[in-house]
Amino acid sequence: MNKSFYHYLMKFRDSKPKDSISEFANHAYKDHSFPKGLSTYNEISTYLELNGDYLSSMTVFDQVWELYIEEKKL
């Protein structure tokens, strides 16, 4: 079974965020409207563009997305 992007992102959560990816994961965890079951780039990026004011830059999302895609290939 493939993990959703949200479930993949949660592995970066940290009580003391070390970087922008950890901060993104922590904020997404607190965002009760985050699309937890989605795994498509367009749907998640559209959500973040409209609702992800906690995201410092969409570049952070793009970085995590690339990691997510790479892990799915394994």
Side-chain angles (χ1 to χ4, degrees):
M1 182 168 117
N2 289 330
K3 287 183 185 178
S4 69
F5 175 78
Y6 174 82
H7 286 101
Y8 176 78
L9 179 63
M10 290 301 102
K11 79 180 198 171
F12 296 103
R13 273 185 51 212
D14 196 329
S15 60
K16 296 179 184 173
K18 302 173 201 124
D19 56 24
S20 57
I21 293 176
S22 296
E23 288 178 13
F24 175 29
N26 288 349
H27 286 294
Y29 176 74
K30 294 176 185 174
D31 180 357
H32 297 290
S33 298
F34 193 93
K36 295 174 177 67
L38 297 181
S39 295
T40 62
Y41 179 88
N42 288 337
E43 290 176 312
I44 297 168
S45 65
T46 298
Y47 173 83
L48 290 169
E49 287 170 1
L50 298 173
N51 304 293
D53 56 339
Y54 50 81
L55 193 57
S56 60
S57 167
M58 286 301 287
T59 303
V60 177
F61 166 66
D62 290 336
Q63 290 171 339
V64 181
W65 183 262
E66 288 300 318
L67 296 171
Y68 172 64
I69 294 302
E70 287 301 314
E71 187 169 298
K72 283 179 70 169
K73 289 179 183 177
L74 299 177

